[in-house]
Amino acid sequence: MFHKFSHGILVLDYGSQYTLLIARKFRELGVYAEIIDGAKGKVPDGFEYTGIVLSGGPDSVSDVGARKIPQWVLDSGKPILGICYGMQLLVEHFGGKVRAGTHREYGNSKVRFDAKNSHLEGMFNGLSPSEVVWMSHGDDVASLPDCFDKIGLTTDNVVAMIAHKSEPILGLQFHPEVEHTTNGKQLLLGFAKLCKHPLDWQPGEMVESCMSYVKETVGSGHVLMGVSGGVDSTVAVKLMVEALGHDRVTACFVDNGLLRKNEKQWVSAQLTELGIKDLVVLDREEAFLNALRGVTEPEQKRKIIGNTFAREFEAYARAHKSEFTHLGQGTLYPDVIESAKHGAGAQVIKTHHNVGGLPADLGLKLVEPFRHLFKDEVRKIGLQLGIPEILVGRHPFPGPGLGVRVLGEVTKERCDILREADAVFIDRLRSEKLYDDVWQAFVVLLPVKTVGVMGDNRTYQSVCALRAVCSSDGMTADVSRLPFEFLTTVASEIVRKVHGINRVVYDITTKPPGTIEWE
Ligand code: XMP
């Protein structure tokens, strides 16, 4: 796939919610990392790995059927870093004991750290004797194998860091990949050094490699590319046009009636400006809203939207089947990994995940140039391709759109109310130059009515919530500390301008325990 990046660190996934973050943090440091299934995964063809990370996971090492360390990992002679469950696997394998914890430890903890007598001391440059770390575990180490040293303990005396006495093998009970571990990145960098891995991963330089992939995959064919106006599909369609020329790329945008205010016009204009000549816009608002009528349960809404999208897209592709050989998608690495569910065929499942399942008899092959990249890496490629900041820097927008932001029943009227309120918030963020300070911002329309007073009249209208978060990847998120004055200005503008809303609240929930969207 990537002709240049055939080397990196291999991350074995045992099911932790943070596995993707491990790969992402290494890549931020300039070290390419690939994820494979912890128990059944195979090293990708032609991939040279310099070190192996064993991720965390929900299993207990003593469970029947618990996933183990594959023998080839132990035979490899490469440096190994076990994180949480990964560390417990190491302890068990080398003859120590792991005990079932009586309670789950979740959150910040302090670790007293001392690696003076370890041959791996060099890995820990920059760490202080007391480090703040992020714990998320149930089990812990009861006794260490003889061949390991204890080099870190929490204030409750839980074994937090261990190092093999002679081999380049170490374990961390906490999560260095999570932002809350203050020097987590430093630790991962130390491991990369232990692996003697060069810091040579530069996503911006991947343009050439992605273009060759597109040329090789499509040959003399013609791509039907699904576009949404979001970062991934915009960068993907631009890359395809650069690689194949205008005549062999058709961009297809579905207006499902669940988009933000003026989105169709804005996206069409931006894509045209970007030099995308062949753009098809399908107006399918009615089909989507009809399918959603009376539905309030969020998962059901998601399924209906996904299926309707697939049906509409399929109808277009079928009607124009003879023109196209390939279906283009802006699929990202997290989509591939999250859809793969540990060892199932990632490619097959992803097709379904992204477009809700197009039938095999359509005969279109897939072309997904970013299926090994994270969003921020795609942004860098976008900038390299000359795509303006206003497109590359757009906040993420969920596939099901306003369908998961209008809580309760989704109707055109309620979507219109939300569109207006959302536009006030986003326009204000832009005009006050706060848009780029938040990772994602939007308004949610609640299925709750409250009493208010406007002029001399009683009102009985809906509540909306403003959501604004800081994040680097959407996997964890903090509440944006937007100025209070700004929030009150937005609130009064919404109540004044948007008929149907008489009260505005600000969501101050972090992720976890909340999610970013409300649904
Ligand atoms: P949550 O709500 O799970 O969202 O904290 C994390 C990030 O993912 C976005 N999101 C989606 N993006 N298709 C997408 O492309 C989806 O179905 C979807 N659902 C949530 C969400 O907006 C946030 O950025």
Side-chain angles (χ1 to χ4, degrees):
M1 160 90 45
F2 288 129
H3 307 295
K4 233 169 119 191
F5 274 82
S6 50
H7 59 278
I9 284 178
L10 212 48
V11 179
L12 267 63
D13 180 21
Y14 289 97
S16 162
Q17 56 176 321
Y18 300 129
T19 304
L20 272 163
L21 276 180
I22 303 174
R24 217 195 101 95
K25 291 289 160 183
F26 275 119
R27 292 204 199 173
E28 278 175 17
L29 291 165
V31 174
Y32 187 70
E34 278 267 357
I35 299 171
I36 61 170
D37 182 90
K40 293 175 269 164
K42 299 217 164 35
V43 183
D45 280 348
F47 188 71
E48 265 179 54
Y49 57 99
T50 52
I52 298 165
V53 176
L54 311 174
S55 86
D59 296 353
S60 283
V61 290
S62 54
D63 284 352
V64 179
R67 288 166 278 191
K68 303 286 180 205
I69 311 176
Q71 193 56 41
W72 62 265
V73 169
L74 298 157
D75 294 342
S76 71
K78 304 284 185 198
I80 301 175
L81 167 64
I83 296 175
C84 200
Y85 179 69
M87 171 174 122
Q88 293 162 7
L89 282 176
L90 288 171
V91 167
E92 196 213 24
H93 173 80
F94 285 98
K97 280 208 165 52
V98 174
R99 71 181 153 219
T102 45
H103 69 282
R104 197 173 168 76
E105 189 180 8
Y106 180 79
N108 277 334
S109 190
K110 271 212 169 142
V111 167
R112 282 175 279 123
F113 155 73
D114 180 2
K116 272 197 290 298
N117 298 322
S118 168
H119 72 117
L120 299 177
E121 190 190 356
M123 214 204 99
F124 304 105
N125 287 341
L127 258 63
S128 61
S130 173
E131 286 288 336
V132 174
V133 302
W134 181 260
M135 289 283 191
S136 176
H137 67 105
D139 301 351
D140 62 7
V141 175
S143 71
L144 262 193
D146 293 341
C147 54
F148 273 82
D149 286 322
K150 202 183 297 178
I151 58 171
L153 277 179
T154 68
T155 37
D156 295 335
N157 289 325
V158 171
V159 178
M161 300 167 86
I162 58 170
H164 195 284
K165 288 189 166 133
S166 55
E167 304 287 329
I169 300 178
L170 66 152
L172 306 174
Q173 181 58 71
F174 56 88
H175 290 272
E177 69 276 24
V178 172
E179 292 287 329
H180 307 280
T181 297
T182 316
N183 274 317
K185 246 175 147 174
Q186 195 63 29
L187 272 167
L188 296 178
L189 183 64
F191 183 67
K193 282 190 185 146
L194 183 67
C195 301
K196 300 194 173 51
H197 201 295
L199 305 184
D200 58 354
W201 166 244
Q202 295 274 3
E205 288 175 11
M206 295 308 292
V207 174
E208 284 302 317
S209 167
C210 290
M211 296 240 276
S212 330
Y213 158 76
V214 169
K215 283 181 193 158
E216 276 168 28
T217 310
V218 179
S220 58
H222 191 147
V223 180
L224 174 65
M225 173 75 210
V227 292
S228 66
V231 179
D232 321 325
S233 61
T234 303
V235 179
V237 73
K238 176 73 175 167
L239 180 94
M240 300 219 191
V241 166
E242 296 278 317
L244 305 170
H246 291 288
D247 298 343
R248 294 203 285 132
V249 182
T250 299
C252 182
F253 178 90
V254 181
D255 179 356
N256 55 11
L258 305 170
L259 304 172
R260 284 163 291 191
K261 190 178 175 186
N262 297 331
E263 183 75 353
K264 182 172 69 175
Q265 296 79 348
W266 192 86
V267 171
S268 304
Q270 291 292 333
L271 289 176
T272 308
E273 179 100 338
L274 205 59
I276 309 303
K277 296 206 170 126
D278 192 2
L279 172 66
V280 177
V281 177
L282 305 178
D283 287 310
R284 305 302 302 148
E285 179 179 40
E286 221 181 293
F288 280 82
L289 292 184
N290 282 342
L292 285 167
R293 186 170 300 136
V295 179
T296 54
E297 206 281 314
E299 269 312 298
Q300 207 187 338
K301 286 187 194 172
R302 276 184 173 272
K303 287 200 182 97
I304 291 171
I305 295 166
N307 288 339
T308 312
F309 183 77
R311 239 191 355 261
E312 295 297 330
F313 204 71
E314 180 199 344
Y316 182 83
R318 208 175 275 290
H320 300 81
K321 188 172 165 181
S322 55
E323 292 170 34
F324 304 113
T325 53
H326 288 76
L327 177 68
Q329 297 189 129
T331 311
L332 297 183
Y333 197 43
D335 306 331
V336 176
I337 298 298
E338 280 166 7
S339 312
K341 300 216 176 80
H342 313 299
Q347 186 140 10
V348 177
I349 289 176
K350 180 59 210 165
T351 318
H352 292 248
H353 170 83
N354 229 20
V355 290
L358 289 186
D361 72 349
L362 264 188
L364 296 178
K365 293 187 202 102
L366 273 185
V367 52
E368 298 176 312
F370 304 143
R371 56 180 288 123
H372 282 255
L373 301 180
F374 288 98
K375 195 182 268 309
D376 58 325
E377 295 174 333
V378 170
R379 284 195 162 121
K380 287 186 182 137
I381 290 182
L383 291 172
Q384 248 356 72
L385 286 168
I387 301 178
E389 188 68 47
I390 193 153
L391 278 169
V392 172
R394 286 193 103 190
H395 292 175
F397 186 69
L402 303 190
V404 289
R405 292 183 181 172
V406 168
L407 307 196
E409 189 178 3
V410 183
T411 61
K412 176 157 170 48
E413 187 200 2
R414 299 193 75 218
C415 288
D416 284 341
I417 292 173
L418 179 55
R419 267 188 275 272
E420 290 304 321
D422 193 72
V424 170
F425 188 28
I426 300 300
D427 289 351
R428 275 273 166 189
L429 280 167
R430 285 207 186 275
S431 67
E432 299 295 324
K433 311 237 172 310
L434 291 166
Y435 184 86
D436 293 328
D437 293 349
V438 300
W439 190 78
Q440 188 176 18
F442 54 90
V443 180
V444 183
L445 186 66
L446 309 191
V448 175
K449 285 192 168 185
T450 65
V451 172
V453 56
M454 245 186 177
D456 293 329
N457 296 319
R458 175 189 190 269
T459 60
Y460 187 55
Q461 295 178 343
S462 295
V463 185
C464 77
L466 309 181
R467 181 74 162 142
V469 294
C470 299
S471 178
S472 50
D473 38 50
M475 286 180 249
T476 58
D478 198 359
V479 181
S480 288
R481 268 63 169 172
L482 288 171
F484 199 69
E485 283 299 309
F486 170 81
L487 290 171
T488 51
T489 307
V490 171
S492 68
E493 192 173 335
I494 288 178
V495 172
R496 196 159 26 88
K497 286 190 177 163
V498 183
H499 185 71
I501 293 179
N502 68 350
R503 191 177 296 266
V504 179
V505 297
Y506 188 51
D507 179 359
I508 53 167
T509 318
T510 58
K511 173 182 178 176
T515 51
I516 296 178
E517 302 289 343
W518 282 41
E519 320 238 347

